[in-house]
Amino acid sequence: IEKKLKPNISIIPYILKKNYNNKKIISGIDSLIFDEKLKIRSKPKKVKKNYKVISICMGGSDPKNLTTRLIKDLIQINIKRIKFNIIVGPLFKSILIKRLKKIIKDYKNFTFYKDPKNFYTILKRSDLGIINSGNIKYELVALGVPFLLLSNDIRAKKFCIYFANYFKCFYSYNFQYPTKFYIKNLLQKLIKNYKEFKLYSDFNQKMIDLHSVDKIAKHINNTNK
């Protein structure tokens, strides 16, 4: 595609194995482009609560149906004092949505959202995210929300590995779907307020420049002179 279009500059807002930074290709950590809403980093006022909030989002369509698998495991694990937000994207199949709603209908600690307008607010108020490898991992980094990262396939696993060279996140072996033991152990740590969660959050936010788009614009302007 790149050869066909013959662009003067290519912007690849992703972390790759080889991160370019020359006149023709802009990629890597300095190429990340964020929604304007993410530039407001202030977190909601801390309210004393006796529970934790976990947001689950496996992208716009979740082709591997990880959401359903995870919800079933979480119900079996049955950790108390945790509320779950299930977020599905606009391309999520209606039949899967019906199944999900049926699974959680008897559990008051699960809340379902389809393509919510207040997406970033939901994420900001979360103590942990459980996600697959998509752009959401960069958004959680910017918001300072720690997360468990899963990969859909071999290709996604590669991107997860590149990502973990820059940022801190929780993951099972090779970013595979974790065992119930791993999930239970992680949630118990979250309940007990292990320092690891805050350390990851603080480290990631320091690594991110929400105004990198301004640098990209400057680079383009200088290149065109």
Side-chain angles (χ1 to χ4, degrees):
I1 293 171
E2 193 172 294
K3 286 179 181 178
K4 266 188 178 181
L5 295 174
K6 296 181 180 178
N8 292 322
I9 293 177
S10 297
I11 301 169
I12 309 171
Y14 224 72
I15 289 178
L16 309 169
K17 185 175 183 179
K18 183 178 181 182
N19 289 316
Y20 302 89
N21 191 9
N22 56 40
K23 287 188 175 181
K24 284 210 155 188
I25 302 173
I26 302 169
S27 75
I29 198 167
D30 292 325
S31 71
L32 304 177
I33 299 171
F34 294 99
D35 191 297
E36 287 291 319
K37 295 172 187 175
L38 278 173
K39 293 184 180 180
I40 304 169
R41 275 189 169 170
S42 58
K43 285 207 169 188
K45 289 181 181 178
K46 286 190 176 181
V47 179
K48 285 187 178 180
K49 57 182 195 255
N50 61 352
Y51 62 89
K52 298 292 183 181
V53 178
I54 296 177
S55 288
I56 299 161
C57 184
M58 299 298 167
S61 60
D62 189 11
K64 300 291 184 181
N65 201 15
L66 295 176
T67 307
T68 303
R69 182 179 176 183
L70 180 61
I71 300 309
K72 287 180 177 178
D73 283 349
L74 290 170
I75 288 171
Q76 286 183 16
I77 291 168
N78 191 28
I79 297 284
K80 304 295 183 184
R81 294 167 51 203
I82 294 181
K83 292 188 177 183
F84 298 97
N85 296 321
I86 306 168
I87 306 169
V88 303
L91 302 178
F92 219 83
K93 290 181 180 179
S94 56
I95 191 170
L96 295 180
I97 290 175
K98 286 179 182 177
R99 284 178 192 168
L100 273 174
K101 287 183 175 180
K102 189 176 180 181
I103 292 168
I104 66 171
K105 71 179 176 119
D106 295 325
Y107 299 92
K108 293 182 179 179
N109 59 329
F110 284 88
T111 305
F112 182 86
Y113 298 94
K114 183 185 176 183
D115 196 21
K117 291 182 179 179
N118 61 336
F119 179 63
Y120 293 129
T121 303
I122 295 169
L123 294 183
K124 277 183 185 181
R125 291 175 178 166
S126 304
D127 298 293
L128 180 72
I130 302 180
I131 61 169
N132 67 352
S133 180
N135 285 329
I136 189 174
K137 62 182 179 287
Y138 296 110
E139 293 167 331
L140 286 175
V141 160
L143 291 169
V145 178
F147 54 94
L148 169 61
L149 182 60
L150 318 177
S151 67
N152 283 338
D153 47 43
I154 294 173
R155 184 173 179 272
K157 184 177 77 173
K158 290 179 181 178
F159 285 112
C160 289
I161 292 169
Y162 307 152
F163 176 86
N165 287 330
Y166 290 85
F167 303 107
K168 293 188 181 295
C169 61
F170 298 97
Y171 58 91
S172 186
Y173 175 73
N174 270 340
F175 297 93
Q176 293 173 356
Y177 186 90
T179 62
K180 289 180 190 175
F181 175 81
Y182 180 94
I183 297 171
K184 184 176 182 179
N185 187 46
L186 182 65
L187 300 192
Q188 286 174 336
K189 285 183 177 180
L190 182 67
I191 290 291
K192 292 175 182 176
N193 292 311
Y194 270 48
K195 290 182 180 178
E196 200 174 5
F197 292 89
K198 189 173 187 311
L199 287 172
Y200 283 18
S201 172
D202 293 343
F203 176 87
N204 287 341
Q205 276 201 308
K206 287 176 183 176
M207 289 288 291
I208 281 288
D209 180 5
L210 290 179
H211 301 279
S212 57
V213 69
D214 299 329
K215 293 180 181 179
I216 293 171
K218 188 176 180 180
H219 181 91
I220 293 170
N221 288 331
N222 290 337
T223 304
N224 289 333
K225 286 179 181 178

